[in-house]
Amino acid sequence: MKNKKLHLSFIEIIGLLIGLVYISPFYFIIFNSFKTKRNILVDTLGLPNPFILENYPHAMEKMDFAQAFMNSTVITVTSLLLLVLFSSMSAWVLLRTKHRLSAIIFMLFVISMLIPFQTVMLPLVDLFGVNKLNLINSRLGIIIMYLGFGSSMSIFLFHGFMKGIPVALEEAAYIDGCKPHQVFWHIVLPLLKPISVTVMILNGIWIWNDYLLPSLVLQEKSVRTVPLSTQYFFGAYSKDWHLAMAALTLTLIPVVIFYIFAQKHIIRGVTSGAIK
Amino acid sequence: MNTKFRKWIIFWTFLTPTLITFFLVVIIPFLTGIYYSFSDWNAIPGKPIQFIGFANYLNVFNDQQVMKSFLLTLTYSGYSILLINIVGFSLALLVTQRLRTANLLRTIFFMPNLIGGLILGYIWKFIFIKILPDLMLSGENMLSKPTTALLAMAIVSTWQMAGYIMVIYVAAIQSIPEEFLEASKIDGANALQRIRHIVFPLVAPAFTVSLFLTLSGSFKMYDVNASLTAGEPARQTELLAMEILSKAFKELNFGEGQAQAVLFFVFIAVISILQVYSSKKREVEM
């Protein structure tokens, strides 16, 4: 018995060491964000000497962090709220209308999940371009795109979840004189809370971190998102590692805070999305 | 009649917002994209488009750079599928031991998955250029040579994806009945034998899922490619997604780029259908 205990704590130490190595890239980024430009060049591995904070205001100014953070927040939050509302509405009528047409439309959404973004990106940018819809460099434009790209998976998840809600609940409400939109708003929507959390987490991680789509449609500085704003420090000739490290740390902070608060939901949501 | 009519009004009003965005963003670009791939489309506003048959597709197959990108993508996918699954499975074995720190470790391993590929690529660009040469004392920078740069990309993808794949394997390992492992212990099987003869066969379905997830993920990879190597040195690390963009925006050959994009869809669709087929088949067997 004693032997077994020793054995377990040996694995425990190995585990902790692996964990430390696994997150070591973060230390290097964070430590170096407090160094001077010269300090990084002569001593990358050591602790900051001297320890300075100036890199942060500098980096924030150069990448226009406040603006980028605002843009990312507005785009992500608006897309998520509309996505949950519109997709659950669609999933509900597709499930509750027993007709061939609803089966066909649902299948269309499911099959479209096979289309990679790369296949539609060139015609999409063309369609939203200057001579057509004219929604390039617009937050509204990219929100419309996220609604379109996010709808298939969201409808699929809502549809699957709603199958488990008894119709009797809704029928009772109709008998009491509710209109369909009231039934949806007062009866169905409140029951969708758990799956809505999953839908928001899956789409939220994707939209917040997305790079390829914003890089194609948001070129002006005033509409840039957080990932786009970090590009400034990694151009071909930039050697300002001290500012780049501060910029990267800044972009990590909101994600880590979000992870700490919603960890359980995140791991569950992400895996339930994968298995389906 | 009246109630039926009302029912359809509800049906269409509830669907309309989604259908409008979905058609604008997915269906219309997909269909026009197929049409463009058979034309001399060059994304110049107002310029009439002419149908040119299979010319773009023939060009794709005769294009050295496309073939090279395809091979590079295959190599990169091979590296990353192997690394992600080996690391993900090992981490899953580690965190399913009865450790006091199991939850903490799981949290740590999953964390990089929440950070976007672009930021991860930048983090590792610093690690590969400034940290690793100092640690290894060799002074070699993995990003300077195409062969090692591909491996470097796979390492970054592993850091990003291993925690995610780990969660899938953890679910599979935890569903193994405790009695199986107990019985084998009584029969005198050691840890390695238990992994090989009990854990492996029982997590096989999770392995199929992870294999396809990592395969289609690495084929679509763009962000880490853009931030870590940007295709350098000399377009020797340009994967398929980036190659489509270069074809369009650098070589200004939108028609051929779009033909590549359509072939890309066919490839991904075949992989995904195979995945659905194989997991359905397995469900029947079990």
Side-chain angles (χ1 to χ4, degrees):
Chain A
M1 201 62 215
K2 204 180 169 193
N3 195 357
K4 192 166 183 185
K5 227 176 189 171
L6 255 175
H7 179 65
L8 271 182
S9 56
F10 174 71
I11 296 184
E12 208 133 335
I13 290 165
I14 299 281
L16 275 178
L17 282 177
I18 295 174
L20 284 177
V21 172
Y22 211 84
I23 49 170
S24 61
F26 292 125
Y27 316 141
F28 291 123
I29 302 301
I30 294 167
F31 282 158
N32 282 296
S33 73
F34 296 113
K35 289 182 188 172
T36 59
K37 185 172 183 172
R38 217 189 88 81
N39 192 188
I40 291 187
L41 289 179
V42 294
D43 179 20
T44 331
L45 299 178
L47 289 170
N49 177 33
F51 181 96
I52 57 156
L53 287 168
E54 281 100 278
N55 295 337
Y56 282 87
H58 260 149
M60 281 174 95
E61 194 191 347
K62 288 222 159 136
M63 71 198 284
D64 206 347
F65 187 75
Q67 179 73 49
F69 189 80
M70 222 267 284
N71 290 332
S72 274
T73 309
V74 167
I75 291 169
T76 309
V77 172
T78 317
S79 304
L80 289 183
L81 292 178
L82 292 178
L83 204 50
V84 164
L85 181 66
F86 292 160
S87 305
S88 60
M89 281 163 53
S90 305
W92 186 60
V93 289
L94 287 176
L95 182 72
R96 293 290 186 238
T97 311
K98 298 288 173 231
H99 192 272
R100 219 175 46 219
L101 193 61
S102 40
I104 292 171
I105 295 174
F106 182 65
M107 272 318 280
L108 186 67
F109 280 116
V110 173
I111 291 174
S112 78
M113 283 195 265
L114 292 177
I115 304 173
F117 175 72
Q118 286 88 345
T119 303
V120 294
M121 65 185 173
L122 300 177
L124 175 78
V125 173
D126 185 57
L127 178 64
F128 278 68
V130 184
N131 281 33
K132 294 176 182 171
L133 296 175
N134 203 5
L135 282 168
I136 296 290
N137 281 320
S138 130
R139 277 169 289 203
L140 173 68
I142 199 166
I143 289 170
I144 292 175
M145 292 180 194
Y146 283 131
L147 292 181
F149 286 121
S151 58
S152 295
M153 190 192 57
S154 309
I155 287 178
F156 184 71
L157 290 172
F158 277 121
H159 196 271
F161 185 85
M162 283 174 187
K163 278 184 197 159
I165 300 178
V167 197
L169 269 176
E170 293 164 39
E171 280 164 352
Y174 283 119
I175 292 166
D176 291 344
C178 277
K179 297 259 159 32
H181 64 272
Q182 292 170 320
V183 172
F184 178 75
W185 194 257
H186 295 293
I187 312 280
V188 180
L189 204 54
L191 292 172
L192 298 179
K193 225 178 190 174
I195 193 71
S196 301
V197 171
T198 303
V199 167
M200 283 171 113
I201 282 172
L202 286 174
N203 288 300
I205 295 170
W206 158 55
I207 295 172
W208 184 270
N209 289 325
D210 194 21
Y211 168 63
L212 181 49
L213 172 60
S215 76
L216 293 172
V217 301
L218 302 176
Q219 284 120 0
E220 273 170 23
K221 204 172 180 187
S222 61
V223 289
R224 269 185 212 159
T225 57
V226 172
L228 292 178
S229 70
T230 57
Q231 274 181 303
Y232 177 90
F233 302 100
F234 293 91
Y237 305 105
S238 70
K239 284 283 173 283
D240 288 337
W241 286 116
H242 57 307
L243 297 181
M245 293 307 107
L248 288 180
T249 309
L250 280 171
T251 63
L252 293 176
I253 292 168
V255 179
V256 172
I257 291 176
F258 170 65
Y259 185 45
I260 290 169
F261 281 103
Q263 204 201 115
K264 258 193 193 137
H265 294 294
I266 292 170
I267 296 188
R268 198 175 48 213
V270 167
T271 37
S272 71
I275 289 154
K276 279 159 192 161
Chain B
M1 184 62 209
N2 198 7
T3 53
K4 210 173 183 187
F5 179 67
R6 229 182 247 167
K7 221 179 158 189
W8 283 113
I9 289 191
I10 292 289
F11 182 80
W12 288 112
T13 40
F14 271 57
L15 265 178
T16 302
T18 312
L19 282 183
I20 289 176
T21 56
F22 179 64
F23 271 80
L24 273 182
V25 174
V26 182
I27 301 298
I28 295 173
F30 180 66
L31 296 177
T32 49
I34 293 175
Y35 169 65
Y36 285 159
S37 71
F38 292 101
S39 77
D40 65 349
W41 177 54
N42 234 334
I44 298 165
K47 186 175 169 280
I49 293 166
Q50 267 185 339
F51 185 77
I52 55 166
F54 283 91
N56 287 324
Y57 287 90
L58 288 176
N59 287 338
V60 170
F61 287 108
N62 290 322
D63 190 321
Q64 292 290 317
Q65 185 66 39
V66 177
M67 284 302 127
K68 199 204 254 155
S69 284
F70 184 70
L71 290 177
L72 287 172
T73 309
L74 276 183
T75 317
Y76 157 77
S77 302
Y79 286 151
S80 50
I81 290 166
L82 264 179
L83 278 174
I84 293 170
N85 282 286
I86 291 172
V87 174
F89 184 73
S90 312
L91 296 180
L93 279 180
L94 179 68
V95 300
T96 46
Q97 307 297 313
R98 283 195 200 88
L99 303 180
R100 265 160 295 175
T101 48
N103 276 332
L104 175 72
L105 288 177
R106 216 178 288 197
T107 307
I108 288 175
F109 296 143
F110 191 79
M111 176 122 91
N113 194 252
L114 291 183
I115 300 162
L118 189 84
I119 304 294
L120 289 178
Y122 286 147
I123 290 176
W124 278 87
K125 194 173 184 177
F126 181 70
I127 305 289
F128 282 125
I129 292 178
K130 300 293 295 177
I131 305 284
L132 282 181
D134 280 9
L135 279 179
M136 306 287 199
L137 304 167
S138 66
E140 270 300 304
N141 163 8
M142 278 181 88
L143 302 178
S144 60
K145 273 189 282 174
T147 41
T148 48
L150 272 190
L151 189 60
M153 268 196 267
I155 291 173
V156 180
S157 304
T158 305
W159 199 56
Q160 179 179 29
M161 289 299 294
Y164 179 79
I165 296 299
M166 170 195 77
V167 179
I168 296 176
Y169 283 130
V170 164
I173 291 173
Q174 281 173 342
S175 70
I176 298 174
E178 195 67 26
E179 304 91 77
F180 286 17
L181 295 170
E182 289 300 327
S184 67
K185 259 185 221 169
I186 293 164
D187 290 346
N190 64 31
L192 273 181
Q193 286 169 323
R194 282 202 300 273
I195 290 173
R196 181 160 158 14
H197 295 289
I198 297 178
V199 179
F200 267 164
L202 288 173
V203 299
F207 180 71
T208 325
V209 171
S210 306
L211 193 74
F212 281 110
L213 272 177
T214 42
L215 179 63
S216 67
S218 39
F219 255 84
K220 293 186 214 167
M221 215 273 274
Y222 175 75
D223 297 8
V224 175
N225 196 184
S227 54
L228 193 67
T229 73
E232 298 303 317
R235 295 185 78 173
Q236 301 269 328
T237 61
E238 199 173 79
L239 302 188
L240 281 175
M242 189 182 281
E243 154 68 17
I244 294 174
L245 286 169
S246 309
K247 192 65 62 191
F249 294 107
K250 284 193 188 141
E251 299 177 27
L252 295 176
N253 198 342
F254 281 74
E256 196 187 321
Q258 187 53 34
Q260 246 177 276
V262 171
L263 291 172
F264 190 70
F265 159 70
V266 173
F267 195 84
I268 296 283
V270 168
I271 292 176
S272 312
I273 289 165
L274 279 177
Q275 175 198 0
V276 173
Y277 176 75
S278 75
S279 53
K280 280 267 147 59
K281 202 174 145 214
R282 215 176 271 280
E283 270 168 31
V284 176
E285 280 168 0
M286 288 170 78

